[in-house]
Amino acid sequence: MTGQVIESNAFHKNSGSPPDSEEWHWVEQLKQGQQQALRPLYERYGKKVYALSYRLSSDAEVAEDITQEVFVQVWQKIHNFKGESKFSTWLYSVTSHVAINHMRKQKRWWQSWFVKSDESMATEIIENVPTSDEQSDFTLSRSGLDKHIAALPQQARIVFVLFAIQGWRHEEISKELNIAVGSSKAQYHRAKQLLQMSLHQEEIDSGVVA
C-alpha cells in the first residue's frame, strides 16, 4: 500500500475535449436565472463536493454545511464561470475557497497556523494515485487513503488536499492561506510523512508486514 502515490495535478483544465452538452445547457439556464437548473448539477456533483469538503475539514457536519454553501455560491456566482475550463474544475475551486473561508472563521484555525513547521520533513513516499475528475472519489475511498487523509493535522491536511488532489501550486496555496511558500511545502512533506507512517502502521496491524 505504501507504494501508492498521489498525483499532484488531479483536476486539469479542459484540454480540447468536447463539452458535456447537457451540463452546458444547465449552466446556461443558471446564467439566465433559472434556479431549477441547480438541481441536476447538485445531483451530478453533490457527492464529490461533499467528499472534497470532508477531506479539507475532516468533519462530516462541517462538510455538509460547506456543500450547501457551495451550491449557493454556484447560483450567485455562475456568471464568473466563463467556460475556459471544465465546469467541474471551476466547481472544485469554488468548493476549496468556500471550505477554507468556512474554517478560517474558527478561532483555532488562526492559532494553528502559527505553530512552527518542521522544514526537515521531506520524504518522497506517496505520489501518484490516479485522481482524475471521474476517478478521484472512487480511488481515494477504495484505496483506503481517505480515512488517513482525514486523520492528518489540519494544516498538513489542507495543504495536502489542495496540492496533491486539487493540483494547486504552492504559490497559490500560500496566497490563499496567507502563509509562506516554504511553509506550504513543509506542510505537504509533513503530510506525506504522516501518511507513510499511518499506512505502514495499518499494514502492521493487518498482518501484511511483520
Side-chain angles (χ1 to χ4, degrees):
M1 183 182 290
T2 52
Q4 290 178 320
V5 285
I6 299 272
E7 186 178 0
S8 63
N9 54 349
F11 302 116
H12 300 283
K13 285 188 174 182
N14 193 353
S15 56
S17 58
D20 183 319
S21 58
E22 187 176 42
E23 183 176 281
W24 188 254
H25 176 66
W26 297 333
V27 169
E28 286 301 305
Q29 284 188 321
L30 282 182
K31 289 185 175 183
Q32 295 170 14
Q34 299 180 41
Q35 192 172 5
Q36 70 273 14
L38 200 59
R39 170 58 61 177
L41 289 172
Y42 178 83
E43 291 174 349
R44 176 172 291 191
Y45 291 111
K47 291 182 179 179
K48 292 185 177 183
V49 167
Y50 173 84
L52 174 55
S53 301
Y54 179 75
R55 287 177 194 134
L56 287 165
S57 66
S58 190
D59 185 304
E61 187 174 344
V62 171
E64 289 280 3
D65 291 342
I66 292 169
T67 300
Q68 293 181 26
E69 176 62 22
V70 165
F71 284 95
V72 171
Q73 291 291 310
V74 169
W75 166 245
Q76 294 176 343
K77 299 183 178 181
I78 189 63
H79 290 285
N80 291 341
F81 175 59
K82 306 299 183 183
E84 296 172 352
S85 64
K86 293 171 66 175
F87 173 77
S88 58
T89 303
W90 179 79
L91 177 62
Y92 299 140
S93 179
V94 170
T95 303
S96 298
H97 288 295
V98 170
I100 291 169
N101 286 335
H102 186 96
M103 291 183 289
R104 187 175 278 139
K105 296 174 183 177
Q106 303 174 25
K107 184 177 180 180
R108 68 177 183 270
W109 162 277
W110 294 109
Q111 294 172 336
S112 69
W113 285 104
F114 289 99
V115 178
K116 186 176 180 180
S117 300
D118 183 351
E119 297 283 346
S120 67
M121 294 179 177
T123 54
E124 298 294 331
I125 302 299
I126 302 171
E127 294 180 359
N128 278 322
V129 168
T131 52
S132 73
D133 199 18
E134 293 75 22
Q135 296 174 326
S136 60
D137 297 323
F138 175 81
T139 302
L140 289 175
S141 60
R142 285 296 297 271
S143 68
L145 281 173
D146 248 345
K147 64 181 180 181
H148 295 283
I149 292 171
L152 289 170
Q154 186 182 64
Q155 298 174 37
R157 182 181 69 248
I158 293 171
V159 171
F160 182 83
V161 170
L162 291 178
F163 183 83
I165 300 176
Q166 289 304 101
W168 289 33
R169 293 179 292 108
H170 284 297
E171 292 78 8
E172 294 172 317
I173 296 172
S174 70
K175 289 180 180 179
E176 179 67 27
L177 302 179
N178 195 27
I179 60 174
V181 172
S183 294
S184 178
K185 292 179 179 179
Q187 290 298 331
Y188 174 63
H189 290 309
R190 181 188 183 204
K192 289 201 296 180
Q193 185 184 58
L194 291 173
L195 283 172
Q196 176 200 8
M197 294 169 59
S198 180
L199 289 166
H200 183 63
Q201 185 61 51
E202 182 179 66
E203 289 180 343
I204 293 175
D205 293 342
S206 63
V208 175
V209 297

